[in-house]
Amino acid sequence: MTTTPDTTTTQTIQLTPKYGIPLVLLIGAVPLLVVQPWIGLVVEVFALFLVYQTATIRLQFTDTALDVYRSGNLIRRFPYQEWLNWEIFWPPVPILFYFREVKSIHFLPVLFDPKMLQQCLEERCPRHNN
């Protein structure tokens, strides 16, 4: 018996960066700098860190894995076959992306297009109803 290879492939999609969360934190920290300078400073530093991450980190959905790039270099690959679950928290204003693999759990701030993230997840790593 011969089998033909599966030739269906999906396009690799790189998510567009979105600066919403870092900018809201940067603006929101200004009043904190006046009222609680240390807290405001911590929030500002964290917001600047998120701006840097948004500028340098890229997520690519391939046929077999979620690839994470920093400044064009592949730093991590997450094969879909190892995923157990995923969730995007607070759908009205998505702020956190969670996914669980067989051996680890990951949380990422939503620093990219949340609609495209949702679409790619549903296409490549659909949830199973228990």
Side-chain angles (χ1 to χ4, degrees):
M1 172 171 29
T2 58
T3 59
T4 56
D6 183 9
T7 58
T8 59
T9 59
T10 53
Q11 179 182 6
T12 296
I13 295 176
Q14 179 170 297
L15 298 182
T16 305
K18 297 290 182 184
Y19 289 85
I21 292 173
L23 291 177
V24 166
L25 289 173
L26 277 170
I27 293 167
V30 172
L32 282 173
L33 287 168
V34 175
V35 178
Q36 292 289 328
W38 284 106
I39 295 173
L41 182 62
V42 169
V43 172
E44 286 286 331
V45 169
F46 181 63
L48 291 172
F49 169 74
L50 290 179
V51 167
Y52 173 76
Q53 293 291 72
T54 305
T56 61
I57 299 292
R58 295 293 174 266
L59 299 184
Q60 286 187 358
F61 284 88
T62 69
D63 287 342
T64 59
L66 170 62
D67 292 344
V68 180
Y69 288 84
R70 177 179 290 128
S71 300
N73 297 315
L74 179 66
I75 59 172
R76 188 79 193 269
R77 176 167 282 145
F78 299 101
Y80 306 130
Q81 67 186 14
E82 295 180 11
W83 289 38
L84 298 175
N85 192 20
W86 60 266
E87 188 73 36
I88 299 173
F89 291 106
W90 206 34
V93 181
I95 58 171
L96 192 63
F97 166 47
Y98 151 85
F99 67 98
R100 180 171 182 192
E101 291 182 291
V102 174
K103 296 182 182 179
S104 59
I105 296 173
H106 307 279
F107 290 94
L108 300 170
V110 178
L111 304 175
F112 25 79
D113 183 351
K115 290 178 185 175
M116 185 57 74
L117 171 65
Q118 178 91 27
Q119 180 181 338
C120 288
L121 289 168
E122 289 172 354
E123 287 174 1
R124 289 151 198 220
C125 196
R127 294 186 228 193
H128 302 287
N129 293 331
N130 293 332

